[in-house]
Structures are given as C-alpha cells and as structure tokens.
Amino acid sequence: GREAGRGHRRPGVVHAAERHPQGVHRAEGVHLSAAAFDAAEQVDEAFDKIAVGTGATGDQLAILQDDFKAVFASVPTDANTAAEAITILASRLDVSGEALQNIATPMLEVTRILGGDLTANAENFTRVIGDWSIPVGEASSSLDQLFVAAQNTGVPLDQLMERVVQYGAPMRNFNFSFEESAALLAAWEAQGVNVEIVMSGMRIAQGKFISQGVDMRAGLEDTIEAILGAASATEGLAIATEVFGAKAAGDMFDTISAGKFDIDAMVESMQNAEGAILETAAATADWPEMWEKFRNSMTLALAPMGDTIRAAFGDAMNSIVEVFGR
C-alpha cells in the first residue's frame, strides 16, 4: 500500500487505460466530434445571420464570411455578436473586406471596454458616418476620436453619437469640425449644460449673423470674446440676449462665462486618437480575454470537421425518415 501510495505499480495490477486503450481513444474522439459539431453550429448560425441581414449571396457572401472569421478570431466575443457587427456595418455602409474588418473590430472592442449595446453602438455610428459624410476609410479613426471624448468626459458612447448626429447640421453651419463638435457636445453633457437651449440660442444667432452678412463662426467667436470681456454680468447678459435671444441668454451666458466653449485640450487629444481603441483593448487584455480569443480560433479550426459530421448525420437522418415513411 505504501509503495502504491508513492506511485509504484503493484505487480499483476492492470490499469484501466491499459485494459481499454481503444475505449479511451474512442471517448476522446467522441468529445472532439462533439466539439467540432458545436463549432460548426456556431459558425453556421453566424453565416445565416449575415446572409439574412445583408441579403448577400455568392461571392459577396463568401467575402463577408471571411470578414466574420477574421474579426471573430481577433476579438474576445461570441460568434453571434461578431456576426451582428458584420451584418449591421456591411448592410448600412455597403462595405466589405479589410475596410469592414477595420470598423467591426474596434466597434466590438469599444463596446466591450465601455459597455453598452453593440447593436445601438453600430447603428448610431453608421448614422454618424452618414450625417458627417465621413469616408469609410476614415471611419475607424473617427470612432477612436469618439472613444477618447467619451473617456475624457464619462459620457456614454451611444449617447454621444446620438448628440453628434442630432446637432450635426447646426455645428457644421458654424464651421465646427467633427472633432470640435464631438468635444463640445461631450463636454457640455458632462458639465450639465442644457444642450437643447444652447443649441436653440445658436440657431437664433445663426439667423442674425446671416441677415447681417457676418461669418457665423467669426460672429460666434466675437460674441464669446465680448461676453468674456464685459465689465459686469449685467452687460454680459445684455450681449447674450441681443445675440442669442431672451430665452437662451441665461444658459448661453453661463456656458460662455464658465469657459465651457474651451475644448482645445480635448480636441488635441482626439486628433491624436488613432488606434486608441485597439491599444486600450490590448493593454487591458487579461487571461479571460486571451482565452476567449483562443476558443474562437479553435471554433473556426474545428468547424470544417463539424460540417463533415453534420453532413453525415443529415444523410443518416434522411435514411431514417425514408424507413419510417415506408
């Protein structure tokens, strides 16, 4: 007993693995077959989701399937979520290949990092791209900029994207760039500015500047400078009332006098944001994320074997159905 306890083998004792080596191998084969079958099911469901959601067929569907594989293997997410990202972005942006992968990968990662709903984030971002006429090739950089703005202010990403679309037209009318607009709207949300009233005041100012033949951006900057240089709050409010209207004057005066139009530092950080999402994802990747990506790679590797098993199983079921039919 002591010898056995020390790892010595007792004479005449045949261990289970030696008695039934074929049984052990058979059990391992069953487990592998089950894993392959499950992998094929996951990939097939993802492919079905992409086909139904995009309407793609033939070569175009094959390209989107390859896009799914590339994204799924590189991101710690499940197959259904990866397929959802591919489906929304491909159908709304009419994009595929590397361009699609370059948007889908950071979209999945930023949703994982900041939280939120992938579908809402993907749909809102496609609206941002459309509203601001952002070239598809620059879309990932724009997403990085929104990510940095959300990080700096704590504003939820989906909420920020909604604001950027909602107030895109008036911001462009005042010649604010995409980065400036996102920075202003994010800062205002974080600072408790009543964005609706401020924007209504800017629309009133827009009409006055147009009627006076004044460049709107220059007119706004001159007004901000005049309010900041006013001798008293009363004088500053009078200037705000004249330019922005009585209803918005108080909010505009507070926003300007408190320096809430000062976004230079945030804009600079946004302009240097390219790659920020993937860099953050890599820096925060721990064992669970690495394991998830490994599992995804194994799922893709086992799926072809699972397809063979599923085909054989389908043939067997057809034969059984014929027997019962007879």
Side-chain angles (χ1 to χ4, degrees):
R2 293 192 188 94
E3 291 179 352
R6 288 195 297 269
H8 294 285
R9 298 162 61 88
R10 293 170 57 190
V13 175
V14 180
H15 287 243
E18 296 175 344
R19 287 199 304 268
H20 304 293
Q22 293 180 349
V24 173
H25 295 158
R26 189 177 298 114
E28 291 173 349
V30 168
H31 290 307
L32 179 61
S33 298
F37 189 92
D38 180 63
E41 285 284 300
Q42 291 184 55
V43 174
D44 183 63
E45 288 177 4
F47 285 175
D48 288 346
K49 187 181 192 71
I50 294 169
V52 172
T54 63
T57 59
D59 292 341
Q60 185 58 38
L61 179 58
I63 292 172
L64 293 178
Q65 290 173 344
D66 289 341
D67 293 336
F68 162 80
K69 292 177 184 178
V71 171
F72 182 53
S74 64
V75 178
T77 190
D78 60 89
N80 182 67
T81 303
E84 179 76 4
I86 292 292
T87 299
I88 294 173
L89 296 172
S91 59
R92 285 177 169 245
L93 301 178
D94 190 24
V95 63
S96 62
E98 187 176 354
L100 173 58
Q101 296 171 31
N102 289 341
I103 304 173
T105 299
M107 175 58 66
L108 287 161
E109 288 287 41
V110 76
T111 302
R112 178 180 66 83
I113 294 169
L114 295 181
D117 179 71
L118 171 73
T119 300
N121 283 342
E123 291 178 349
N124 283 331
F125 186 57
T126 59
R127 294 178 63 209
V128 170
I129 291 174
D131 185 67
W132 283 86
S133 301
I134 297 172
V136 172
E138 300 175 11
S140 62
S141 297
S142 298
L143 185 58
D144 283 323
Q145 292 172 343
L146 291 169
F147 167 65
V148 168
Q151 269 189 319
N152 288 344
T153 60
V155 176
L157 180 62
D158 59 344
Q159 182 178 332
L160 176 57
M161 290 191 287
E162 289 174 358
R163 290 294 199 186
V164 167
V165 172
Q166 182 180 2
Y167 299 117
M171 298 302 277
R172 289 190 294 272
N173 289 340
F174 277 92
N175 201 28
F176 283 109
S177 67
F178 174 77
E179 296 94 329
E180 290 172 325
S181 300
L184 274 174
L185 292 168
W188 288 347
E189 287 286 346
Q191 295 163 352
V193 173
N194 190 321
V195 180
E196 287 80 3
I197 292 181
V198 167
M199 294 306 297
S200 70
M202 290 178 65
R203 288 191 178 97
I204 292 172
Q206 173 182 317
K208 292 183 179 180
F209 293 150
I210 291 174
S211 66
Q212 296 167 4
V214 176
D215 177 83
M216 285 187 288
R217 181 65 177 266
L220 178 62
E221 290 176 351
D222 289 344
T223 303
I224 291 173
E225 185 176 346
I227 291 174
L228 291 176
S232 65
T234 301
E235 182 182 335
L237 275 169
I239 297 171
T241 302
E242 173 63 26
V243 177
F244 303 111
K247 183 177 180 181
D251 288 88
M252 288 300 302
F253 174 76
D254 177 72
T255 301
I256 292 170
S257 60
K260 295 176 183 178
F261 270 89
D262 185 7
I263 52 166
D264 290 346
M266 191 186 304
V267 170
E268 183 178 356
S269 67
M270 291 172 67
Q271 290 173 339
N272 297 318
E274 187 168 0
I277 294 172
L278 296 185
E279 289 174 5
T280 303
T284 57
D286 294 320
W287 169 248
E289 288 78 23
M290 291 186 286
W291 174 249
E292 190 70 22
K293 288 198 289 186
F294 171 75
R295 286 181 59 186
N296 292 351
S297 296
M298 289 303 299
T299 296
L300 294 173
L302 289 171
M305 182 193 301
D307 285 333
T308 302
I309 296 171
R310 287 178 357 131
F313 183 75
D315 292 340
M317 287 302 298
N318 288 335
S319 299
I320 293 172
V321 169
E322 290 178 7
V323 170
F324 273 94
R326 290 196 297 270

